[in-house]
Amino acid sequence: MEKDATGVQGPGGGDAGGDPIISVRGLDFFYGPLQVLSDISLEIPRNLVTALIGPSGCGKSTLLRCFNRMNDFNGDARLARGSIRVGGVDINGPDVDPIELRRRVGMVFQKSNPFPKSIYENVAYGLRIGGVRRKSALDEAVERSLRNAALWDEVKDRLGDSALALSGGQQQRMCIARAIAVEPDIILMDEPCSGLDPQATMRIEELIQELKEQFTIVIVTHNMQQASRCSDLTAFLHLGRLVEFAETMRIFTNPSEKRTEDYITGRFG
Amino acid sequence: MRLHLEEEIRRIKENLLMMASLTDRSLSQAIRALVGRDDQLAAQVEADDTQLDSLQVAIDEGVVMFIAKQRPVATDLRLVMVALKIAGDLERVGDQAVSIARAAIQLNREVPLEMPADMSRLATISVEMVREAIACFVEGTPERVPALVQRDKEADAINRKLFSELIARMEADPSIIRRAVHLLLVVRRLERVADHAKSIAEEVYYLGKAVDIRHAHPKPTLPRGDVSAETPPAG
């Protein structure tokens, strides 16, 4: 593990470090009495795709959910030690509004979760919550978001149709459009392709590559090929600890840690 | 799934070791056929070459299937990439052995020409380099590679010396030109064998340390004192 003098692990082995948008230091996290994250320190740079990998129960989804305080919805969840800064701000500080945080740090879930509304209303939802009322502004944002999510051409003539009528892959891209409509800085993706066929998966992966021009993306995936195809940096977690964080190319060709090698080559996990 | 992966890796390694063993035998037999003026042995070398070709094809196919089915990463990925290249080098060593055997058959039709003393030294170095390169692969000892790479320089120097010596002999006695040219070609083949051994060794280094030293200048050097110490590549 490459750590600086303060114990923070940056992506080792290259110059991809840059300016961190997420900075985690000494994070201990619990669900009730169970410690699920131990002494996690890492810095995630802007405008790159960072993959969190590791066996089931290693804490990768918990870590992802720490970045926009989604764990707040779990009454047993408790940050016992350490800090998470997004854009330099301690997101667990007393003055931080979690709703505003989640606008800046959007999330796409494993299972697409369209609201039982029209495609248009799904994408415009966050903007309306944020107080945007002018129709032209909403129209413009919906079109821009759907274009960015590579869905516009497929739905532009049926924006009033129910989002539930879309295919699984389209629903997931619509959820991405909904996430980016409010112009977040970061998009968190928790296994966004797990229920999709190879074609739909490929479209989401291509989309991720396009979106990183504008957003920082952190993705949790069980799919090693997906992590190697679409991420710039990869963090490997095991038993709640960060084992290795480095450029994806390095992780998948010459990892520094034996545990990483054993996991990515299928020798355990 | 992992059991299948291990089994496929084992099969690729097994074919590679079989190929290395046959290559070693062909090369040694070709040199013996040349020195002992043994046509039968030389013909055997040529006949055995098809086995090497078949093994190379089997390794290539095994690697393609392995990549398609297992999507290897890290050490597994380096291993199959290196297996492909080593198989290519071994096949070329086999071809050099066949060329030496054919030269032996040609020379056996002529009056014997005294071989330069250094030819046997070059042959020994070339054979030993191939064996050492394969040993490094089998034993997983990339730290021995720098010494082997260094040895190729010795082979190059002997090659240059033999070239000058044989040219001088041809100039002094043009009646030996035909036979001396055959010897020159054998010298060239032996030097190429050393090059392939060096290439195999460089692949072994990459396999073990994930560092490509093929075009590194200077090459990794021998550690002083402790020969088992890890040697970071320079340059």
Side-chain angles (χ1 to χ4, degrees), chain A residues 48-114:
Chain A
L48 291 176
V49 180
T50 298
L52 305 181
I53 64 168
S56 297
C58 71
K60 55 190 185 299
S61 288
T62 299
L63 179 60
L64 188 81
R65 286 160 181 266
C66 282
F67 297 153
N68 68 349
R69 288 180 53 180
M70 286 296 282
N71 293 313
D72 288 6
F73 297 110
N74 183 333
D76 287 341
R78 177 168 56 93
L79 188 153
R81 189 179 70 90
S83 69
I84 302 168
R85 304 182 88 83
V86 171
V89 175
D90 182 349
I91 62 168
N92 293 292
D95 300 330
V96 170
D97 173 4
I99 294 171
E100 172 58 16
L101 171 68
R102 289 178 203 124
R103 191 200 64 75
R104 289 189 58 201
V105 186
M107 191 151 194
V108 176
F109 297 88
Q110 182 173 352
K111 191 173 180 326
S112 58
N113 55 345

Side-chain angles (χ1 to χ4, degrees), chain B residues 188-210:
Chain B
R188 174 72 184 140
R189 304 291 180 201
L190 291 171
E191 189 271 332
R192 289 294 297 140
V193 168
D195 286 345
H196 287 297
K198 182 181 124 188
S199 170
I200 292 169
E202 288 167 341
E203 295 304 334
V204 172
Y205 197 89
Y206 174 70
L207 174 63
K209 297 190 178 284

